Amino acid sequence: MRISEAAAAAGTTAKTLRFYESIGLMPEQPRTSSGYREYPPAAVQRAAFIRRSRAAGLTLEQTHQILRLHDTGAAPCGHVREQLEEQLGAIDRQIAELTALRAEVAQHYRAASAGSDGCDAREICSYL
């Protein structure tokens, strides 16, 4: 199939497929005599995997590591599980940081809402 068909089947764009080829995530596909790239089902499957990996928050480098394992004939599922565990930890830390930030902002907002409309000119702003 041609690049636009392959991209649609993988849930991505032709531009993205070209980018993945340029950075080595996808092998460059052979061209027909008329110059069009031909994408086999395996290329579509690989592109869809990359999309799912990115949607899970894995970096391009992490995705590349997984694909290198696969390309050597190894099953990368254990490595994927470790990457996902690390990703969950990072997300949990971000949630904790955002929760703390929200509490801080809410405290300042409550103080600002309860305060008068006039600020002390000697301060930048008494709400912060």
Side-chain angles (χ1 to χ4, degrees):
M1 67 183 79
R2 295 213 174 131
I3 192 167
S4 60
E5 297 165 320
T12 190
T13 65
K15 183 177 180 178
T16 299
L17 287 185
R18 286 188 206 97
F19 173 70
Y20 290 162
E21 287 178 2
S22 74
I23 63 171
L25 282 174
M26 301 235 348
E28 199 167 310
Q29 299 304 309
R31 293 182 181 265
T32 64
S33 60
S34 58
Y36 292 104
R37 290 181 175 104
E38 284 292 325
Y39 288 82
V44 173
Q45 181 184 20
R46 187 177 183 102
F49 172 81
I50 295 167
R51 183 188 49 76
R52 291 191 310 272
S53 176
R54 298 294 294 142
L58 299 183
T59 66
L60 288 173
E61 180 55 36
Q62 289 169 318
T63 302
H64 205 172
Q65 290 171 359
I66 294 164
L67 291 170
R68 280 194 295 264
L69 283 172
H70 174 266
D71 293 344
T72 64
C77 293
H79 183 71
V80 169
R81 186 174 39 255
E82 291 170 7
Q83 294 296 314
L84 292 173
E85 181 180 20
E86 288 178 21
Q87 183 67 0
L88 280 173
I91 290 168
D92 288 342
R93 286 187 295 280
Q94 287 177 327
I95 289 170
E97 290 170 4
L98 287 171
T99 300
L101 175 62
R102 189 194 188 292
E104 179 78 14
V105 171
Q107 178 182 354
H108 289 299
Y109 176 74
R110 284 190 300 275
S113 295
S116 67
D117 286 335
C119 282
D120 186 340
R122 294 169 291 185
E123 296 182 31
I124 294 172
C125 181
S126 58
Y127 299 143
L128 293 176

